[in-house]
Amino acid sequence: MARRLSGLQRDVLSLYKQCMKVTYTKPRATQHHWRNYLREEFHKYLHLPKKQFSTIEHLLRTGNRKLEMFLNPQIKDIH
């Protein structure tokens, strides 16, 4: 039986999926840069305790702002 995710956990997974979908809108030659960058960004905070709600909410807001920026078609690559 799969365990149920909290609202914040669902939000984080949703943000991750949305970010990964953006990689397909980028040039094929740079898509792996985007995927690697996104994995590293999310991996940085894996150690964060699940009870640090304010920190997680702040990171979600920051992540959503970055996602808005990444959606810009003029941004082709990330390092």
Side-chain angles (χ1 to χ4, degrees):
M1 180 183 244
R3 68 169 219 243
R4 298 185 70 176
L5 298 176
S6 73
L8 274 180
Q9 288 171 321
R10 282 195 306 272
D11 291 346
V12 170
L13 284 175
S14 173
L15 177 61
Y16 183 76
K17 288 177 185 178
Q18 289 174 27
C19 288
M20 284 301 184
K21 283 182 183 178
V22 168
T23 65
Y24 295 107
T25 66
K26 304 302 177 184
R28 187 177 286 288
T30 64
Q31 287 179 6
H32 66 282
H33 295 161
W34 286 95
R35 282 190 291 274
N36 289 340
Y37 170 78
L38 292 168
R39 283 186 193 117
E40 287 173 16
E41 283 298 300
F42 278 85
H43 188 73
K44 277 187 214 176
Y45 302 103
L46 273 178
H47 71 282
L48 201 62
K50 295 175 186 172
K51 300 287 184 190
Q52 287 193 354
F53 303 119
S54 60
T55 304
I56 295 168
E57 288 169 348
H58 168 74
L59 290 168
L60 278 169
R61 283 191 303 275
T62 304
N64 280 311
R65 272 189 247 116
K66 284 185 178 183
L67 175 60
E68 291 284 321
M69 185 178 63
F70 296 159
L71 287 169
N72 183 341
Q74 292 177 339
I75 299 176
K76 306 283 187 206
D77 199 0
I78 198 160
H79 299 283

